[in-house]
Amino acid sequence: MRGVRAPAILLGGGLPVVFVGRHRIHRLSQAALLLSLLWMPALPPAASRLLSLPRALMSMASGSPPAQPSPASHSGYVPGSVSAAFVTCPNEKVAKEIARAVVEKRLAACVNLIPQITSIYEWKGKIEEDSEVLMMIKTPSSLVPALTDFVRSVHPYEVAEVISLPVEQGNPPYLHWVRQVTESASDSSTVPP
């Protein structure tokens, strides 16, 4: 394995202690250690990516960020440039009206409606339980603020749920389509009424 230092193994109290660099990772039984050492040479090349897991865990433990994939990948997609936004609605009628409006205004390329979810939450000091419809909205990350403003302006809830998560990976043609369909809204700084 080029470029990967083997972990140091120290025996103490009858059980080996595995160190990577100067960090103590885990105590292993002698049998597990022997099996892992015998198994490692048989790893196929594709499975060798598993060996990078300890490095990723160590970087998280040390506080340094893990290595990020290059934005200039072969697909041309920049991780995080598309988001999946989630909005809950009281019923399917409201969800369909909002979904159609955000697609027509090019604030989103696609909206999936997921019916019959149950939401349990605290509201004004009481625990509530409601049946709702969840909207999953695919949009460029740059449009999330405009999408949020629009949803808040038309949503019947006093406090509308609008949360978004960046899409790190996906089908490149689909992610390109999301950006292409919403281009005219991305180009303008304001949302038409």
Side-chain angles (χ1 to χ4, degrees), residues 61-139:
S62 70
S64 62
Q68 295 297 315
S70 168
S73 67
H74 66 281
S75 73
Y77 177 70
V78 176
S81 61
V82 169
S83 287
F86 300 92
V87 175
T88 51
C89 293
N91 56 54
E92 195 168 337
K93 181 179 184 278
V94 170
K96 282 183 178 180
E97 288 171 358
I98 294 173
R100 185 167 303 283
V102 298
V103 171
E104 286 173 351
K105 293 180 177 295
R106 297 190 182 275
L107 293 173
C110 177
V111 180
N112 302 111
L113 302 182
I114 305 166
Q116 299 175 342
I117 65 164
T118 300
S119 297
I120 300 171
Y121 56 95
E122 182 178 325
W123 183 248
K124 297 184 178 181
K126 286 179 52 185
I127 302 297
E128 303 285 344
E129 182 174 325
D130 289 315
S131 178
E132 295 182 298
V133 175
L134 177 65
M135 299 171 60
M136 185 171 68
I137 305 167
K138 278 73 73 183
T139 187

Side-chain angles (χ1 to χ4, degrees), residues 8 11 30 50 67 76 92 100 112 186:
L11 296 174
Q30 289 178 354
L50 292 173
E92 195 168 337
R100 185 167 303 283
N112 302 111
S186 298

Side-chain angles (χ1 to χ4, degrees), residues 70-79 81-82 109 138 167-181:
S70 168
S73 67
H74 66 281
S75 73
Y77 177 70
V78 176
S81 61
V82 169
K138 278 73 73 183
V167 175
E168 294 300 315
Q169 299 178 35
N171 179 15
Y174 181 83
L175 298 170
H176 175 73
W177 172 80
V178 169
R179 296 188 59 78
Q180 182 182 27
V181 165

Side-chain angles (χ1 to χ4, degrees), residues 13-37:
L15 292 175
V17 178
V18 178
F19 285 82
V20 174
R22 62 176 182 245
H23 301 283
R24 180 178 170 167
I25 301 297
H26 199 280
R27 284 186 177 261
L28 298 172
S29 71
Q30 289 178 354
L33 177 63
L34 180 60
L35 285 173
S36 67
L37 291 175

